[in-house]
Amino acid sequence: MKICVLVKQVPGSDSPLKISDDQSWINEENVNFITNESDNYAVEEALQLKEKLGEGEVVAVSLGPERTQRTIREALSKGADRGIHIEESYPYASDPLQIARTFASVLEGEQFDLILSGLQSDDFGFGQVGVILGEMLGMSTSTLVMETELADGKMKVKRELEAGWFQWVNLDLPASISIQSGINTPRYPSLKGIMGAKKKELNKVSVDSNNEPRQSISKVYIPKKTKRTEMIVGTVDYQVERLVEVFKKDLRIL
Amino acid sequence: MSVFVVVEQSNSGVHRMSWEALAGGQALGRDLSLPVSVVLMGENVSALAESFQSKDVKEILKVETPLLSNYSADGFSSALAQVIETESPKYVIMGHTYMVRDFLPRVSAKLGLPFLADNIAYGVEDGSLVLSKQLFSGKLVADVSPNGDGPCIISFQSAAFQEEDVTDGSGASVRDISISLDENTIRSRPEEPFQEAAGAVDLSSAEVIVSVGRGIGKEENLPMVKDLVQAMGAELASSRPVVDAGWLESYHQVGSSGQTVAPKLYFALGISGAIQHVVGMKGSKNIIAINKDPEAPLFELADYGVVGDLLEIVPKLTETLQG
């Protein structure tokens, strides 16, 4: 079984998010880039599926600038077999249709049985690329997957619905599915894995983009505050004292 | 040229977020002088159609075939793509539900049309539509515009519009739209929905909720939160990372994949305020947030904010309350 896992490098949640002067994106200086959270679960699920089957190949694919290779190497060090880095420079594509077209043009010849992606990226948060790519490559799709089963060339996924409900969905292969965080416990790379990853194949490809975006970001800004918030500032003792006062006098809940 | 609001069905009829989407579609229709119609898809949507007879819509468009009796990404995306192709609406609007995330990107890909997803608001600048979408879990917002002419698909986040703002009207005409679906093109077959670990706690009726997030750090710190819950006579809730880590059962979870709550007080400990959590608790009457990070988005929503270490504050607070 040939499994593709889409990974993305995004600013870590502790990184400062300073808006660039032209307000088109953030200023990337001092930003600590990490692998997108739900993509870690997708990588783990891909590796576990391969391990259960006892055969197959896991290919980690990412679109981004040079630094993105670190995220691909991380997947390789955990056990992915090879990587594909689709090169992109600033300004980054910010249309999921355009991004998926780029992936499709690189991946169509690969004939993957299964494509896994995280449910959404922590930066743009479109949550669309895996589904669109599935459509473009003629695959069945499912999203927010919390469990996978694979038997006799058929895929069965437990899909998360709203408000605590779930549903099993039977899918024909090939399929592209997006993975919800919490589906598994992502492994850490071993030292041996890290050393081995250096020797694994990582192909860099560039795509000549005759591929116009159908949507564009015109401006990025800090949300306008709509609520008046009382910030309780002071020593811990004062903060506790004020909280108790708020409970009793302002909210009358105790 | 018109606005289409595509309705999602839930067990009880119309999905709550479809009413919100209709309120948004009607507002957009007024601002851009476009008529608004609703699209209903299913095996038999006659009963559903009646829900919209008294609303201010031009047409109720019915798309009926047995292959739409159960939801499938293939079936629903193919059906809606055909409706958009034959009817050429200017805007196609839905609530940003889990079902929409599952099939609407396929419609966008089938037709090569922009899908502007998960917006919190819209504006009109020089006659053109601009949508606002949260980035980085709500820490930033982006204004996004569709490029080119032709239909544009839009989804709105929960509570971007209010169900109460749907305007009434009369004289909506009902029209059937025929589509063709081939059973062999539907490659996913759903089983019956089910609930896991059904709620030992009914958070929806709780007066006071103490909710704990990633900021708790480790499982060993949970007892101090439980002590506070007891001292306040509250119910315990959490954000997703705490459940994912296996520290609390999933029925404690508040947010898009958990419960929706509206207590008198929502006391958030170490919860940054990612959108997926906020949609489940922003209806709370009062919100107090404790977080180490002064930039945590939840402070934007809170009535009271405490920047500090919850591991220090919580035990002292419990002690004082037990006084």
Side-chain angles (χ1 to χ4, degrees):
Chain A
M1 165 153 290
K2 213 170 151 182
I3 304 172
C4 170
V5 57
L6 303 182
V7 289
K8 184 175 186 182
Q9 196 179 47
V10 298
S13 58
D14 299 337
S15 287
L17 295 174
K18 296 231 161 53
I19 294 165
S20 60
D21 290 340
D22 64 358
Q23 278 196 291
S24 66
W25 191 230
I26 57 160
N27 192 336
E28 293 192 349
E29 273 172 51
N30 303 321
V31 168
N32 173 33
F33 285 95
I34 60 164
T35 301
N36 184 54
E37 188 181 8
S38 57
D39 298 354
N40 282 320
Y41 293 95
V43 169
E44 180 62 34
E45 199 63 20
L47 296 174
Q48 288 190 13
L49 280 167
K50 181 190 157 179
E51 285 158 6
K52 265 181 233 161
L53 289 167
E55 56 91 20
E57 185 187 27
V58 173
V59 184
V61 183
S62 187
L63 168 72
E66 201 64 26
R67 56 172 163 74
T68 299
Q69 292 201 3
R70 227 177 47 235
T71 282
I72 301 174
R73 288 276 176 219
E74 191 181 305
L76 295 177
S77 67
K78 290 177 174 180
D81 299 286
R82 66 183 162 99
I84 300 174
H85 172 211
I86 308 171
E87 212 183 0
E88 177 187 45
S89 55
Y90 183 85
Y92 312 122
S94 60
D95 171 20
L97 200 54
Q98 183 191 19
I99 294 167
R101 269 201 198 103
T102 300
F103 277 110
S105 68
V106 173
L107 302 181
E108 60 191 348
E110 292 271 358
Q111 302 288 325
F112 286 111
D113 300 297
L114 191 59
I115 296 177
L116 303 182
S117 51
L119 86 144
Q120 64 183 54
S121 62
D122 296 333
D123 51 2
F124 288 129
F126 292 124
Q128 294 185 40
V129 171
V131 179
I132 296 179
L133 184 57
E135 169 70 33
M136 287 174 171
L137 298 179
M139 297 174 156
S140 66
T141 53
S142 193
T143 51
L144 293 139
V145 168
M146 278 303 276
E147 204 174 325
T148 63
E149 281 176 10
L150 199 54
D152 308 324
K154 296 265 185 214
M155 182 99 206
K156 199 174 165 182
V157 298
K158 188 167 94 179
R159 187 177 152 236
E160 190 174 283
L161 306 176
E162 282 149 14
W165 287 78
F166 296 90
Q167 182 175 43
W168 283 98
V169 182
N170 298 283
L171 295 173
D172 291 350
L173 289 175
S176 175
I177 61 175
S178 82
I179 301 295
Q180 171 66 290
S181 62
I183 183 175
N184 50 38
T185 309
R187 69 192 67 183
Y188 291 99
S190 65
L191 189 60
K192 195 176 152 218
I194 293 168
M195 299 309 289
K198 290 178 183 159
K199 294 188 210 94
K200 286 181 178 168
E201 177 186 333
L202 200 174
N203 276 331
K204 185 159 89 174
V205 294
S206 25
V207 174
D208 186 22
S209 165
N210 193 3
N211 174 4
E212 291 298 314
R214 294 302 317 265
Q215 58 179 288
S216 305
I217 291 181
S218 53
K219 191 170 74 175
V220 173
Y221 51 95
I222 295 167
K224 290 176 203 82
K225 197 164 169 56
T226 50
K227 206 162 187 178
R228 206 188 66 86
T229 305
E230 179 191 323
M231 295 306 288
I232 303 173
V233 182
T235 62
V236 171
D237 286 335
Y238 171 74
Q239 289 175 327
V240 166
E241 188 188 320
R242 176 66 187 136
L243 280 172
V244 173
E245 191 177 64
V246 168
F247 293 161
K248 290 185 173 159
K249 291 190 180 146
D250 299 10
L251 309 182
R252 298 169 189 279
I253 54 159
L254 293 176
Chain B
M1 293 274 274
S2 56
V3 177
F4 277 11
V5 175
V6 183
V7 174
E8 179 173 336
Q9 293 188 55
S10 69
N11 303 337
S12 46
V14 179
H15 194 291
R16 172 184 59 85
M17 281 170 68
S18 293
W19 288 119
E20 296 177 4
L22 179 57
Q26 287 178 329
L28 189 66
R30 284 191 294 274
D31 286 348
L32 297 173
S33 305
L34 296 173
V36 179
S37 295
V38 292
V39 179
L40 313 176
M41 302 195 291
E43 182 174 16
N44 182 341
V45 294
S46 298
L48 209 58
E50 277 173 29
S51 312
F52 295 92
Q53 285 290 356
S54 61
K55 303 304 169 196
D56 186 17
V57 293
K58 182 173 171 240
E59 284 189 297
I60 298 167
L61 304 170
K62 289 162 64 183
V63 185
E64 293 178 320
T65 145
L67 290 176
L68 295 177
S69 64
N70 283 319
Y71 166 75
S72 70
D74 283 324
F76 273 58
S77 60
S78 173
L80 185 56
Q82 291 177 52
V83 170
I84 295 171
E85 269 196 312
T86 54
E87 300 288 323
S88 300
K90 180 68 187 150
Y91 299 109
V92 177
I93 296 177
M94 294 192 77
H96 194 67
T97 61
Y98 278 20
M99 186 179 103
V100 157
R101 293 155 73 136
D102 198 67
F103 90 99
L104 216 38
R106 292 199 83 125
V107 179
S108 158
K110 277 180 201 294
L111 302 174
L113 295 176
F115 172 27
L116 281 67
D118 202 13
N119 296 288
I120 50 171
Y122 77 85
V124 180
E125 288 174 18
D126 304 326
S128 306
L129 189 65
V130 179
L131 291 135
S132 304
K133 178 190 186 318
Q134 291 172 313
L135 304 178
F136 298 103
S137 300
K139 285 182 192 161
L140 299 180
V141 177
D143 282 351
V144 188
S145 310
N147 298 332
D149 298 326
C152 171
I153 305 166
I154 298 165
S155 70
F156 284 107
Q157 193 177 100
S158 174
F161 298 96
Q162 308 302 316
E163 186 177 335
E164 305 87 85
D165 294 336
V166 171
T167 53
D168 289 339
S170 60
S173 54
V174 180
R175 180 158 63 92
D176 288 298
I177 298 180
S178 68
I179 54 149
S180 69
L181 268 188
D182 177 359
E183 194 171 358
N184 296 318
T185 60
I186 297 174
R187 295 159 295 181
S188 60
R189 292 155 300 277
E191 296 178 5
E192 281 301 303
F194 62 95
Q195 252 180 323
E196 266 178 5
V201 196
D202 182 15
L203 295 174
S204 61
S205 61
E207 278 268 287
V208 179
I209 290 176
V210 174
S211 192
V212 59
R214 207 193 286 266
I216 190 70
K218 52 183 177 181
E219 193 173 9
E220 290 71 32
N221 294 329
L222 264 183
M224 74 166 74
V225 175
K226 289 179 176 167
D227 290 344
L228 178 64
V229 167
Q230 202 159 29
M232 292 181 72
E235 292 286 358
L236 176 64
S238 81
S239 62
R240 181 165 191 117
V242 177
V243 171
D244 282 349
W247 300 343
L248 282 177
E249 291 290 342
S250 62
Y251 51 75
H252 288 286
Q253 188 181 322
V254 165
S256 55
S257 49
Q259 301 193 49
T260 301
V261 299
K264 194 166 175 194
L265 169 63
Y266 192 85
F267 192 8
L269 309 174
I271 294 176
S272 67
I275 315 155
Q276 297 88 328
H277 184 73
V278 166
V279 295
M281 49 65 76
K282 66 181 169 188
S284 305
K285 317 291 176 291
N286 295 282
I287 298 167
I288 305 181
I290 301 182
N291 207 297
K292 270 196 294 202
D293 176 10
E295 307 282 314
L298 198 58
F299 284 132
E300 300 292 320
L301 205 66
D303 300 275
Y304 302 89
V306 181
V307 178
D309 184 357
L310 72 95
L311 303 181
E312 251 185 282
I313 297 166
V314 167
K316 280 202 176 165
L317 185 57
T318 308
E319 201 185 300
T320 311
L321 291 173
Q322 284 165 341

mmCIF file of all heavy atoms in Angstrom, chain A residues 36-61:
data_model
loop_
_atom_site.group_PDB
_atom_site.id
_atom_site.type_symbol
_atom_site.label_atom_id
_atom_site.label_comp_id
_atom_site.label_asym_id
_atom_site.label_seq_id
_atom_site.Cartn_x
_atom_site.Cartn_y
_atom_site.Cartn_z
ATOM 1 N N ASN A 36 2.721 21.301 11.894
ATOM 2 C CA ASN A 36 1.331 21.548 12.243
ATOM 3 C C ASN A 36 0.786 20.419 13.135
ATOM 4 O O ASN A 36 1.004 19.247 12.853
ATOM 5 C CB ASN A 36 0.531 21.632 10.939
ATOM 6 C CG ASN A 36 -0.910 21.979 11.173
ATOM 7 O OD1 ASN A 36 -1.217 22.974 11.819
ATOM 8 N ND2 ASN A 36 -1.798 21.144 10.662
ATOM 9 N N GLU A 37 0.082 20.795 14.208
ATOM 10 C CA GLU A 37 -0.295 19.813 15.227
ATOM 11 C C GLU A 37 -1.039 18.591 14.674
ATOM 12 O O GLU A 37 -0.642 17.451 14.914
ATOM 13 C CB GLU A 37 -1.120 20.470 16.330
ATOM 14 C CG GLU A 37 -1.353 19.505 17.483
ATOM 15 C CD GLU A 37 -2.190 20.100 18.610
ATOM 16 O OE1 GLU A 37 -2.730 21.210 18.449
ATOM 17 O OE2 GLU A 37 -2.300 19.427 19.647
ATOM 18 N N SER A 38 -2.112 18.814 13.932
ATOM 19 C CA SER A 38 -2.893 17.642 13.498
ATOM 20 C C SER A 38 -2.124 16.818 12.457
ATOM 21 O O SER A 38 -2.415 15.633 12.272
ATOM 22 C CB SER A 38 -4.277 18.050 12.986
ATOM 23 O OG SER A 38 -4.187 18.972 11.949
ATOM 24 N N ASP A 39 -1.133 17.422 11.791
ATOM 25 C CA ASP A 39 -0.321 16.659 10.832
ATOM 26 C C ASP A 39 0.526 15.605 11.555
ATOM 27 O O ASP A 39 0.830 14.553 10.979
ATOM 28 C CB ASP A 39 0.599 17.583 10.032
ATOM 29 C CG ASP A 39 -0.186 18.594 9.208
ATOM 30 O OD1 ASP A 39 -1.422 18.490 9.173
ATOM 31 O OD2 ASP A 39 0.431 19.487 8.611
ATOM 32 N N ASN A 40 0.913 15.882 12.802
ATOM 33 C CA ASN A 40 1.651 14.888 13.584
ATOM 34 C C ASN A 40 0.821 13.617 13.759
ATOM 35 O O ASN A 40 1.343 12.506 13.710
ATOM 36 C CB ASN A 40 1.993 15.440 14.971
ATOM 37 C CG ASN A 40 3.163 16.390 14.922
ATOM 38 O OD1 ASN A 40 4.129 16.146 14.192
ATOM 39 N ND2 ASN A 40 3.081 17.477 15.666
ATOM 40 N N TYR A 41 -0.489 13.803 13.986
ATOM 41 C CA TYR A 41 -1.381 12.653 14.132
ATOM 42 C C TYR A 41 -1.539 11.915 12.801
ATOM 43 O O TYR A 41 -1.656 10.690 12.772
ATOM 44 C CB TYR A 41 -2.749 13.106 14.655
ATOM 45 C CG TYR A 41 -2.710 13.638 16.073
ATOM 46 C CD1 TYR A 41 -2.588 14.997 16.337
ATOM 47 C CD2 TYR A 41 -2.796 12.761 17.153
ATOM 48 C CE1 TYR A 41 -2.558 15.479 17.643
ATOM 49 C CE2 TYR A 41 -2.765 13.236 18.465
ATOM 50 C CZ TYR A 41 -2.645 14.597 18.697
ATOM 51 O OH TYR A 41 -2.611 15.062 19.982
ATOM 52 N N ALA A 42 -1.549 12.689 11.701
ATOM 53 C CA ALA A 42 -1.675 12.066 10.367
ATOM 54 C C ALA A 42 -0.437 11.228 10.063
ATOM 55 O O ALA A 42 -0.540 10.112 9.555
ATOM 56 C CB ALA A 42 -1.880 13.140 9.304
ATOM 57 N N VAL A 43 0.757 11.741 10.407
ATOM 58 C CA VAL A 43 2.008 11.000 10.192
ATOM 59 C C VAL A 43 1.969 9.706 11.001
ATOM 60 O O VAL A 43 2.248 8.613 10.486
ATOM 61 C CB VAL A 43 3.234 11.856 10.612
ATOM 62 C CG1 VAL A 43 4.494 10.999 10.653
ATOM 63 C CG2 VAL A 43 3.411 13.036 9.667
ATOM 64 N N GLU A 44 1.568 9.815 12.272
ATOM 65 C CA GLU A 44 1.520 8.633 13.131
ATOM 66 C C GLU A 44 0.545 7.591 12.575
ATOM 67 O O GLU A 44 0.840 6.394 12.539
ATOM 68 C CB GLU A 44 1.106 9.038 14.557
ATOM 69 C CG GLU A 44 1.013 7.896 15.549
ATOM 70 C CD GLU A 44 2.342 7.175 15.767
ATOM 71 O OE1 GLU A 44 3.401 7.834 15.712
ATOM 72 O OE2 GLU A 44 2.313 5.940 15.972
ATOM 73 N N GLU A 45 -0.619 8.038 12.114
ATOM 74 C CA GLU A 45 -1.623 7.113 11.582
ATOM 75 C C GLU A 45 -1.087 6.415 10.330
ATOM 76 O O GLU A 45 -1.293 5.214 10.148
ATOM 77 C CB GLU A 45 -2.921 7.882 11.277
ATOM 78 C CG GLU A 45 -4.157 7.007 11.157
ATOM 79 C CD GLU A 45 -4.522 6.265 12.447
ATOM 80 O OE1 GLU A 45 -4.081 6.669 13.542
ATOM 81 O OE2 GLU A 45 -5.250 5.261 12.338
ATOM 82 N N ALA A 46 -0.379 7.165 9.489
ATOM 83 C CA ALA A 46 0.209 6.579 8.276
ATOM 84 C C ALA A 46 1.211 5.489 8.656
ATOM 85 O O ALA A 46 1.204 4.395 8.090
ATOM 86 C CB ALA A 46 0.886 7.665 7.449
ATOM 87 N N LEU A 47 2.057 5.791 9.638
ATOM 88 C CA LEU A 47 3.076 4.822 10.054
ATOM 89 C C LEU A 47 2.426 3.584 10.672
ATOM 90 O O LEU A 47 2.831 2.455 10.402
ATOM 91 C CB LEU A 47 4.048 5.468 11.049
ATOM 92 C CG LEU A 47 4.882 6.637 10.483
ATOM 93 C CD1 LEU A 47 5.700 7.296 11.585
ATOM 94 C CD2 LEU A 47 5.791 6.163 9.354
ATOM 95 N N GLN A 48 1.405 3.795 11.494
ATOM 96 C CA GLN A 48 0.735 2.655 12.126
ATOM 97 C C GLN A 48 0.039 1.774 11.091
ATOM 98 O O GLN A 48 0.039 0.547 11.204
ATOM 99 C CB GLN A 48 -0.274 3.134 13.172
ATOM 100 C CG GLN A 48 0.400 3.686 14.419
ATOM 101 C CD GLN A 48 -0.582 3.925 15.556
ATOM 102 O OE1 GLN A 48 -1.723 3.478 15.522
ATOM 103 N NE2 GLN A 48 -0.144 4.652 16.576
ATOM 104 N N LEU A 49 -0.572 2.396 10.068
ATOM 105 C CA LEU A 49 -1.239 1.614 9.022
ATOM 106 C C LEU A 49 -0.221 0.739 8.287
ATOM 107 O O LEU A 49 -0.448 -0.432 8.039
ATOM 108 C CB LEU A 49 -1.956 2.543 8.027
ATOM 109 C CG LEU A 49 -3.310 3.074 8.488
ATOM 110 C CD1 LEU A 49 -3.786 4.207 7.585
ATOM 111 C CD2 LEU A 49 -4.356 1.951 8.497
ATOM 112 N N LYS A 50 0.925 1.347 7.976
ATOM 113 C CA LYS A 50 1.962 0.582 7.291
ATOM 114 C C LYS A 50 2.467 -0.561 8.181
ATOM 115 O O LYS A 50 2.646 -1.693 7.716
ATOM 116 C CB LYS A 50 3.128 1.507 6.912
ATOM 117 C CG LYS A 50 4.241 0.790 6.168
ATOM 118 C CD LYS A 50 5.495 1.639 6.014
ATOM 119 C CE LYS A 50 6.694 0.719 5.808
ATOM 120 N NZ LYS A 50 7.940 1.445 5.629
ATOM 121 N N GLU A 51 2.651 -0.279 9.459
ATOM 122 C CA GLU A 51 3.147 -1.305 10.379
ATOM 123 C C GLU A 51 2.153 -2.461 10.529
ATOM 124 O O GLU A 51 2.541 -3.621 10.573
ATOM 125 C CB GLU A 51 3.464 -0.679 11.740
ATOM 126 C CG GLU A 51 4.760 0.139 11.714
ATOM 127 C CD GLU A 51 4.850 1.181 12.833
ATOM 128 O OE1 GLU A 51 3.964 1.204 13.718
ATOM 129 O OE2 GLU A 51 5.817 1.972 12.804
ATOM 130 N N LYS A 52 0.883 -2.124 10.580
ATOM 131 C CA LYS A 52 -0.148 -3.161 10.699
ATOM 132 C C LYS A 52 -0.187 -4.047 9.455
ATOM 133 O O LYS A 52 -0.362 -5.258 9.540
ATOM 134 C CB LYS A 52 -1.526 -2.520 10.915
ATOM 135 C CG LYS A 52 -1.916 -2.414 12.384
ATOM 136 C CD LYS A 52 -3.304 -1.800 12.512
ATOM 137 C CE LYS A 52 -3.259 -0.617 13.472
ATOM 138 N NZ LYS A 52 -4.402 0.288 13.329
ATOM 139 N N LEU A 53 -0.054 -3.406 8.296
ATOM 140 C CA LEU A 53 -0.082 -4.163 7.037
ATOM 141 C C LEU A 53 1.204 -4.965 6.842
ATOM 142 O O LEU A 53 1.219 -5.950 6.115
ATOM 143 C CB LEU A 53 -0.250 -3.208 5.847
ATOM 144 C CG LEU A 53 -1.617 -2.547 5.702
ATOM 145 C CD1 LEU A 53 -1.544 -1.404 4.708
ATOM 146 C CD2 LEU A 53 -2.663 -3.571 5.251
ATOM 147 N N GLY A 54 2.274 -4.497 7.461
ATOM 148 C CA GLY A 54 3.552 -5.164 7.305
ATOM 149 C C GLY A 54 4.209 -4.919 5.965
ATOM 150 O O GLY A 54 5.190 -5.572 5.611
ATOM 151 N N GLU A 55 3.663 -4.008 5.206
ATOM 152 C CA GLU A 55 4.288 -3.652 3.926
ATOM 153 C C GLU A 55 3.816 -2.260 3.536
ATOM 154 O O GLU A 55 2.884 -1.737 4.123
ATOM 155 C CB GLU A 55 3.902 -4.652 2.830
ATOM 156 C CG GLU A 55 2.392 -4.822 2.605
ATOM 157 C CD GLU A 55 1.792 -3.884 1.547
ATOM 158 O OE1 GLU A 55 2.563 -3.366 0.714
ATOM 159 O OE2 GLU A 55 0.577 -3.669 1.562
ATOM 160 N N GLY A 56 4.474 -1.705 2.518
ATOM 161 C CA GLY A 56 4.006 -0.434 2.004
ATOM 162 C C GLY A 56 5.043 0.660 2.106
ATOM 163 O O GLY A 56 6.162 0.445 2.572
ATOM 164 N N GLU A 57 4.635 1.809 1.642
ATOM 165 C CA GLU A 57 5.534 2.959 1.634
ATOM 166 C C GLU A 57 4.782 4.175 2.152
ATOM 167 O O GLU A 57 3.622 4.384 1.798
ATOM 168 C CB GLU A 57 6.003 3.210 0.187
ATOM 169 C CG GLU A 57 7.034 4.314 0.078
ATOM 170 C CD GLU A 57 7.379 4.685 -1.367
ATOM 171 O OE1 GLU A 57 6.521 4.503 -2.253
ATOM 172 O OE2 GLU A 57 8.492 5.176 -1.586
ATOM 173 N N VAL A 58 5.457 4.958 3.015
ATOM 174 C CA VAL A 58 4.863 6.212 3.490
ATOM 175 C C VAL A 58 5.697 7.368 2.935
ATOM 176 O O VAL A 58 6.904 7.430 3.147
ATOM 177 C CB VAL A 58 4.821 6.279 5.033
ATOM 178 C CG1 VAL A 58 4.349 7.656 5.498
ATOM 179 C CG2 VAL A 58 3.910 5.186 5.594
ATOM 180 N N VAL A 59 5.037 8.255 2.195
ATOM 181 C CA VAL A 59 5.721 9.389 1.580
ATOM 182 C C VAL A 59 5.209 10.681 2.211
ATOM 183 O O VAL A 59 4.006 10.955 2.183
ATOM 184 C CB VAL A 59 5.473 9.426 0.049
ATOM 185 C CG1 VAL A 59 6.275 10.546 -0.591
ATOM 186 C CG2 VAL A 59 5.812 8.081 -0.585
ATOM 187 N N ALA A 60 6.120 11.455 2.797
ATOM 188 C CA ALA A 60 5.728 12.727 3.413
ATOM 189 C C ALA A 60 5.915 13.848 2.398
ATOM 190 O O ALA A 60 6.988 13.991 1.816
ATOM 191 C CB ALA A 60 6.578 12.994 4.657
ATOM 192 N N VAL A 61 4.861 14.634 2.199
ATOM 193 C CA VAL A 61 4.885 15.671 1.169
ATOM 194 C C VAL A 61 4.535 17.013 1.796
ATOM 195 O O VAL A 61 3.592 17.123 2.581
ATOM 196 C CB VAL A 61 3.861 15.353 0.047
ATOM 197 C CG1 VAL A 61 3.951 16.398 -1.055
ATOM 198 C CG2 VAL A 61 4.080 13.960 -0.507
#
